[in-house]
Amino acid sequence: MSNVIQVAENYLGYYEKDRLSDIYTSKRGSGNFTKFAAVYKDLTGENYQGQAWCAMFVSCCFAEAYGIKKAKEMLCGEFFAYTPTGANNFKKKNRYINNVRDANIEDLVFFSNGGQRIDHVGIIAEKGTNTFKTIEGNASNSVSMRTYNYNDSRIKGVGITMSGYMSGWKYNDSTGKWNYIQNGTKLTNGFYYINGILFHFDETGAMSEGQFFVNGKRYYSTTSIKPITGAVIYICDGDAVKKVENP
């Protein structure tokens, strides 16, 4: 199965057209007519020819790389042609972060090129020490690769597509905390058994470590199970400390 970067790279240099009849030609234009809008209509039944197409490019690349079912899961439930809708879908699934340094290849960067509203999106293709690269549709009327600094003011957030880690542990370099991804969704706000071991995660999805409180009760997590510390939860019951069996 091809990944989405390989698919997107195949379209580098494609330009939008001035007329619908030209979308499968090598002509260059500025009318927002593209073959991606045609594919997007096939995928969704919605016709957005002649409109901004960066989000449609993303949707089409994921569908081509992973198939419709998995692509929708990676994009948080649906294909999208409007960038604020795509960003909100990631936020609803708790798969939206602020720091590109914590993102993976194939995650999506949402931008604002003026003001606060999100108006552009690209696919992370490479990550370096100080910069990263994206592949974007509707970038200077074409599919282009662009380079950004991690602190670029136009960056509004990152949608986590879960490419390569649909389930499993993920370390967040910004917070210094562990998260656990289960079927593409970060575990939050509760106790969970993972491979028979009990863990707790707060409302942000960070694994609880050391002493923490839930509903006024004091709990402890040990550091005896590595590399994931925080396993085996204990509760303080008066002066007694006992293992939690059913939190």
Side-chain angles (χ1 to χ4, degrees), residues 72-240:
K72 285 185 175 181
E73 292 173 355
M74 297 175 77
L75 299 177
C76 289
E78 64 178 356
F79 299 120
F80 62 97
Y82 184 53
T83 49
T85 298
N88 285 334
N89 289 344
F90 282 98
K91 291 176 182 178
K92 290 175 183 177
K93 291 287 189 179
N94 202 21
R95 283 165 46 185
Y96 191 85
I97 61 176
N98 295 321
N99 195 337
V100 181
R101 290 187 183 274
D102 296 327
N104 284 345
I105 305 302
E106 298 196 19
D107 288 341
L108 306 183
V109 182
F110 290 92
F111 301 91
S112 176
N113 289 306
Q116 292 299 311
R117 187 181 75 80
I118 289 171
D119 56 18
H120 191 61
V121 63
I123 307 168
I124 298 175
E126 297 180 23
K127 290 182 67 183
T129 302
N130 299 311
T131 62
F132 67 96
K133 293 183 179 182
T134 60
I135 300 177
E136 305 170 13
N138 208 11
S140 300
N141 300 336
S142 69
V143 178
S144 301
M145 181 173 282
R146 289 183 166 178
T147 302
Y148 299 91
N149 292 320
Y150 285 105
N151 61 353
D152 193 301
S153 62
R154 291 170 291 181
I155 299 169
K156 293 303 176 184
V158 180
I160 304 299
T161 63
M162 301 301 176
S163 176
Y165 53 93
M166 294 301 286
S167 292
W169 291 98
K170 177 173 172 59
Y171 187 74
N172 188 318
D173 290 321
S174 293
T175 64
K177 298 290 185 179
W178 284 96
N179 306 125
Y180 190 83
I181 311 302
Q182 189 172 76
N183 298 323
T185 300
K186 185 162 55 175
L187 299 183
T188 61
N189 202 30
F191 292 93
Y192 299 87
Y193 280 99
I194 300 171
N195 296 326
I197 301 171
L198 187 62
F199 295 87
H200 179 267
F201 299 88
D202 67 16
E203 65 276 3
T204 70
M207 184 190 68
S208 300
E209 299 181 77
Q211 176 179 275
F212 60 96
F213 290 83
V214 178
N215 297 326
K217 294 183 179 180
R218 182 167 52 180
Y219 293 83
Y220 297 90
S221 56
T222 74
T223 57
S224 61
I225 297 179
K226 296 181 181 297
I228 307 298
T229 62
V232 188
I233 307 300
Y234 289 82
I235 186 171
C236 183
D237 185 9
D239 293 329

